[in-house]
Amino acid sequence: MAPSTLGAPFGLPRLRATPFGEQGWDALVVEVIAVAALAAVTGAWTRRTLKRRPALGRVRAGRSAWVGFILGAAIANALRAIGAGTAMGFGPVGYGVMVVLGMLSGTVWGITLGWIPGMAAGVATARGESRPPAAPTTPAK
C-alpha cells in the first residue's frame, strides 16, 4: 500500500500562501512549518559538515547536502503526518504508523530529489585549497 492511501503525507511539503482546496488554515500552517524544517535541517547539516572539514571538495559537499536533504525531508514529512494524524483523531497505534510512514515517504523523496541541493552545494563550494584557513580556536595571549 502506498503511504498516501493510509493518510500519510505523500511528496515534499509545499509552500503556498493560501490553503489548497478544502484544507483549513491549520493544514497550511503545518505545511509552512514543514517547509521551514526541511530548509533548516538541510542547511544546518551542510553547514555543520563544511565547518568540521573546511577543505571539503565539491563531491563531498554535494553528498553532505544530499544527506541533509534526506534528513530534512524525513523530518518535514513526520511533522506533516503529526498534523494530519491530529486532524484525523487517530489512536496511538494509527498515529505512530502514520508518523513512521511519513518519515519513510520523506526519506524516499529525499533520496530521489536530494541531488538538486547536492548539485547546488557542490557548485557553490570552492575547492579546499582556495578556502581561507579556519580561525584559531584558542584566544591569543
Side-chain angles (χ1 to χ4, degrees):
M1 296 184 104
S4 59
T5 60
L6 300 174
F10 181 74
L12 296 174
R14 297 156 221 37
L15 185 60
R16 39 174 84 98
T18 59
F20 182 71
E22 299 284 324
Q23 290 180 336
W25 285 96
D26 54 343
L28 177 68
V29 169
V30 170
E31 288 282 323
V32 170
I33 290 171
V35 168
L38 173 63
V41 170
T42 303
W45 185 269
T46 306
R47 184 172 186 262
R48 173 190 152 276
T49 303
L50 291 174
K51 284 187 90 131
R52 288 179 71 191
R53 296 187 185 124
L56 196 65
R58 293 178 189 269
V59 173
R60 292 187 79 183
R63 275 192 307 206
S64 172
W66 197 332
V67 169
F69 190 78
I70 293 168
L71 293 172
I75 290 171
N77 271 4
L79 291 172
R80 292 172 66 205
I82 289 170
T86 304
M88 291 182 197
F90 283 152
V93 174
Y95 191 72
V97 167
M98 196 162 159
V99 171
V100 169
L101 288 174
M103 289 180 76
L104 178 64
S105 171
T107 302
V108 169
W109 279 99
I111 290 169
T112 305
L113 297 175
W115 63 271
I116 297 169
M119 291 279 288
V123 168
T125 303
R127 295 295 300 163
E129 301 86 50
S130 64
R131 188 176 275 189
T137 56
T138 57
K141 293 183 181 182

